[in-house]
Structure formats: C-alpha cells, structure tokens
Amino acid sequence: LPDMEMLKAMPGHFAQLLSPARWQAVIKSLATGASSSPGFILALLAFGLLLWKERAIRAALRATGKKITKIRTDSFRFTFDALVLTLLLAVSWPLLLGSMGWQLESELDAVAFTRPVSAALIWVAGVWFYLRAFRVLCLPGGLAEAHFRWPAHSLKMLRRELSKLMLIFLPTAFIALFVINIDSASLGGGIGRLAIVIVLLALGMFFYRLFEPVRGVLKTYISRHNKTLFARLRYLWLALAVAVPVGLAGLGFIGYTYTAATLTSSLLDTFWFFLLLVVIHQLAFRWLLLTRRRLAFQAAIERRDAARASEAARESDKPAGEAAPEQFEEPVIDLATLSEESRKLLNVALIIAGIIGVWLIWSDVLPAFGYLDKITLWQYSSTVSGEEKLVPVTLAKVILALL
C-alpha cells in the first residue's frame, strides 16, 4: 500500500522528470532529425500537408454522404472513400507524435532519458490514432451519421465522451509509460502507480457513460433492440465494463503495478478490437443493404415497365400527347428491410471472429492467473473438518469474482 514515504518522494521525482537539462537532449535530438533524417522530414511534410488539406478533406467527407441519398447515385465506393477520408483526418497529429518517437528511437547517440520518451510517444500515438479515428467517424455528416445512419444525438454524446477520455487518458498514459520505462525496477514508483490508477479510472468512467442504459451513449440502440441479448443483459455489461478497470485500478493502487499494467494493455487491445468489429459490421451491413436496395429498385423498374406496356396496349388508339408523363418514385427502403437471414449470418460471423480475437489477445495473459492464485490479499477464519483455519483470499479469486 502507498505510505507517507512514497508520497513525500513524489514531488522530488516530478522535479527530476521535468528537469530542463534532460528535456534539452530530447529537443536537440528532434532538431537534428528535422535537418538530417529523410524519414523524419518526410513525416513532417506529410503532417503539414494533412493540416493544409484538412478543410478540403472534411468537405469531401461530407460530400460522400450527399451522394448516397438516392439509389441511382448510391455506391459502396462512396462509403469506402468516406472511410479513407476519415483515416486521413485522424492520422495527422498521431503521425507527428509517432514520428517524433521514431526519431528519438533511431538516434544512435540517444541518451538514457530519450529512450523512455520514445517508447511512450510511439505507444500514445497509436492510441491517439484509434480514438481520434473513431471520433472523426462520428462527425456530423461523416461515416457514422450519413452512411451507417447512427442517431445524431448519440453521436454527439459519443464525440463528447471521446474528447473527455482523450484529454485525461493520453497525457496520463504517457506519464505512466515514461516513468515505468525510465524506472523499470520500481515500475515508476508512486508516480507510475498514480498515473495507472488515473488512466484506469478515466477508462471506467468512459465505459460507464457508454453502457449506462438510461442516459448513456447506447440508450437509443438498447431501446430499439430491447429484445436482443445485449439489451436484456445491459446491466451486466455495465457492471463488467466498470468493475474491470476499477478493479485493475485497485490492483495498481495497492502495489501490483506490473499486473495492473499488463492486464490494462490486454483490456485496451480488446477495446480497440471491438471498435474495429463495430466498423466492419457496419460496413458489411451497408453493403448488404445497398445490394438489397438495388434488387428492389430493379424489381420496381420491371414492374413499372410492365405496367406501362399494359397501359400502352389498352390505349393504343388514344391520340399521342394526351397522356401526362408518369412520375416514378424511387423506393425508400429502411434498414429493417434487410433480410433476417443475412443479418443472422453477419452477426454469427462477427461473433466467431470476436471470440477468436479475444482469445488471441488474452492467451498470453491467461497462464499468469495461475501465479495470481499465489498472491494472498487477506485471510479469514473458517472451520474446516472441525478445525479452525485461516483461509486465504487470493488475487485470482478476487478477479474471478469480479468477472
């Protein structure tokens, strides 16, 4: 558990980490790379180009949504273009951060202080790209609203919660990784422990805002699909989504920093994987819907042509020019018209992919639970075979109880 000695040492550790002399080496290395490293120079040029063209990319992204309003002009190519434009909008700042980390890592004469900075920058750049890409996906007129037909108010809430998460999560995660890498023996001491706890609590709060069934981001989805397994077990998902990061924060607080950091990494990988599955599901759903709309539209045209031919046969003696031109209304087909069989097939395929992906993510961590059963958190008295004994409550049992 944290003690007064650790708390008293934290201001001194902060002063060492913020020492100008140490950060001068980082700035010097980046300045050298900006003038001599072709890869770093290319990354800086790409970053500048993306910033310069950001307004044009946003306009092009909104334009793709306007082209899919009618079946005559609709095409899955516009959705694919929107996905590419979304990734381009999201990559600019993470590209700058990641290239800075790569430049620090590639320096042959880098000092010991720059290595942890490099590792932290590269990791945070990847996380920032994932979160930023999903936030850009939720922009007004963007991929989620125009192509996936997600509710606008849910997207507004999701953008707000993602912004809050990035504001707390990214800088705190950078501090945690930096101090753990620079002081691996004690895993960053009190600073690393505090940073990990803040990261996990921020993640738990985000999950609460996401899964809370009354005022959360998913409330509209839950109300529209109230008979699905996800909706029926909504409070279970909420409890798990909050209890897991809070439980890991508790582990980090009482001193199991390495365990908390390792499990947090797997938890985040699972989160990114599920976000990817959501996007893949919506892309496949959109393609199936577009295919069905085209078939329905073609069938409507054939019925119209048949009706016109029948009308022309009946009125063959009518003088030309008296009949008004017939107006044909394009059929409006909602998502619900997608066949149940196609939806079930798509959902089953993604569930299988999800199970395989989660197993691969956690397969390296599962053997560690055997070791966790040796870590005793506390003991309680119990009568076993008529004899009073102390029964240990291990870390593995606590985690199993949370799950």
Side-chain angles (χ1 to χ4, degrees):
L1 290 174
D3 51 23
M4 289 302 300
E5 189 172 321
M6 177 182 292
L7 296 177
K8 290 178 180 179
M10 287 178 63
H13 292 165
F14 270 116
Q16 293 178 7
L17 294 177
L18 298 176
S19 172
R22 290 187 169 187
W23 288 98
Q24 283 177 0
V26 175
I27 297 174
K28 181 181 177 181
S29 178
L30 292 176
T32 303
S35 59
S36 61
S37 173
F40 190 47
I41 294 172
L42 185 62
L44 292 178
L45 291 175
F47 168 72
L49 180 63
L50 288 171
L51 283 188
W52 179 42
K53 292 292 185 180
E54 182 173 341
R55 183 174 297 181
I57 295 174
R58 286 178 180 269
L61 175 61
R62 291 191 294 269
T64 61
K66 298 176 181 178
K67 297 175 182 177
I68 64 172
T69 54
K70 293 184 178 181
I71 190 61
R72 292 181 186 274
T73 59
D74 197 1
S75 172
F76 189 76
R77 179 176 63 85
F78 299 132
T79 302
F80 180 78
D81 292 343
L83 177 63
V84 173
L85 293 170
T86 297
L87 297 179
L88 286 177
L89 283 175
V91 78
S92 55
W93 288 100
L95 174 64
L96 176 63
L97 207 66
S99 62
M100 291 168 60
W102 172 81
Q103 174 59 30
L104 292 174
E105 186 181 37
S106 62
E107 283 291 320
L108 297 178
D109 57 345
V111 297
F113 185 78
T114 60
R115 299 295 185 186
V117 176
S118 168
L121 284 176
I122 293 174
W123 190 88
V124 170
V127 173
W128 195 5
F129 174 70
Y130 295 141
L131 293 175
R132 188 175 163 88
F134 205 75
R135 190 185 182 283
V136 173
L137 183 138
C138 299
L139 288 176
L143 190 62
E145 183 177 271
H147 297 259
F148 298 162
R149 306 298 182 184
W150 291 6
H153 63 278
S154 296
L155 292 175
K156 183 178 179 180
M157 293 176 61
L158 189 53
R159 290 195 304 271
R160 183 176 66 247
E161 296 304 326
L162 284 170
S163 297
K164 291 179 182 178
L165 178 64
M166 288 189 286
L167 187 63
I168 300 174
F169 183 90
L170 295 174
T172 313
F174 173 82
I175 294 173
L177 287 167
F178 172 64
V179 297
I180 287 175
N181 280 288
I182 203 171
D183 187 16
S184 57
S186 61
L187 294 174
I191 297 177
R193 189 184 301 188
L194 176 63
I196 288 177
V197 169
I198 294 175
V199 163
L200 286 164
L201 291 180
L203 202 61
M205 181 57 68
F206 173 76
F207 287 156
Y208 175 80
R209 299 290 189 187
L210 186 66
F211 288 99
E212 205 278 322
V214 178
R215 295 179 300 273
V217 174
L218 297 177
K219 65 178 181 179
T220 303
Y221 176 84
I222 291 174
S223 63
R224 290 180 178 178
H225 305 83
N226 55 1
K227 295 183 179 180
T228 62
L229 182 64
F230 179 85
R232 291 200 301 267
L233 300 179
R234 56 189 179 276
Y235 289 104
L236 174 62
W237 306 133
L238 175 63
L240 287 176
V242 175
V244 171
V246 171
L248 293 178
L251 288 181
F253 179 77
I254 64 178
Y256 296 102
T257 311
Y258 178 78
T259 301
T262 302
L263 295 178
T264 300
S265 177
S266 297
L267 177 64
L268 288 173
D269 289 342
T270 306
F271 180 48
W272 313 140
F273 177 65
F274 279 130
L275 289 183
L276 178 63
L277 283 183
V278 168
V279 175
I280 292 175
H281 175 272
Q282 291 299 291
L283 289 173
F285 200 77
R286 157 94 173 123
W287 179 77
L288 289 173
L289 174 65
L290 181 59
T291 302
R292 186 167 179 81
R293 287 182 67 188
R294 285 175 176 170
L295 291 175
F297 182 68
Q298 185 63 35
I301 290 178
E302 291 176 358
R303 289 194 300 270
R304 181 197 64 181
D305 292 341
R308 283 181 173 178
S310 177
E311 185 69 20
R314 288 195 303 267
E315 301 183 4
S316 56
D317 296 333
K318 196 172 184 179
E322 292 186 7
E326 182 179 356
Q327 298 293 327
F328 176 65
E329 190 79 17
E330 291 186 0
V332 178
I333 299 177
D334 194 68
L335 293 174
T337 59
L338 190 63
S339 67
E340 188 68 20
E341 292 79 8
S342 299
R343 287 192 296 173
K344 285 183 178 180
L345 179 62
L346 176 60
N347 292 335
V348 168
L350 288 176
I351 288 173
I352 294 174
I355 293 173
I356 294 174
V358 170
W359 174 257
L360 292 176
I361 291 171
W362 290 90
S363 60
D364 293 336
V365 180
L366 292 178
F369 283 96
Y371 176 76
L372 296 180
D373 203 37
K374 300 177 182 179
I375 301 176
T376 301
L377 300 180
W378 68 84
Q379 296 177 331
Y380 66 94
S381 299
S382 179
T383 303
V384 180
S385 301
E387 184 179 352
E388 190 78 12
K389 290 186 178 181
L390 288 176
V391 179
V393 177
T394 65
L395 185 58
K397 291 180 180 179
V398 171
I399 294 176
L400 183 61
L402 290 175
L403 294 176

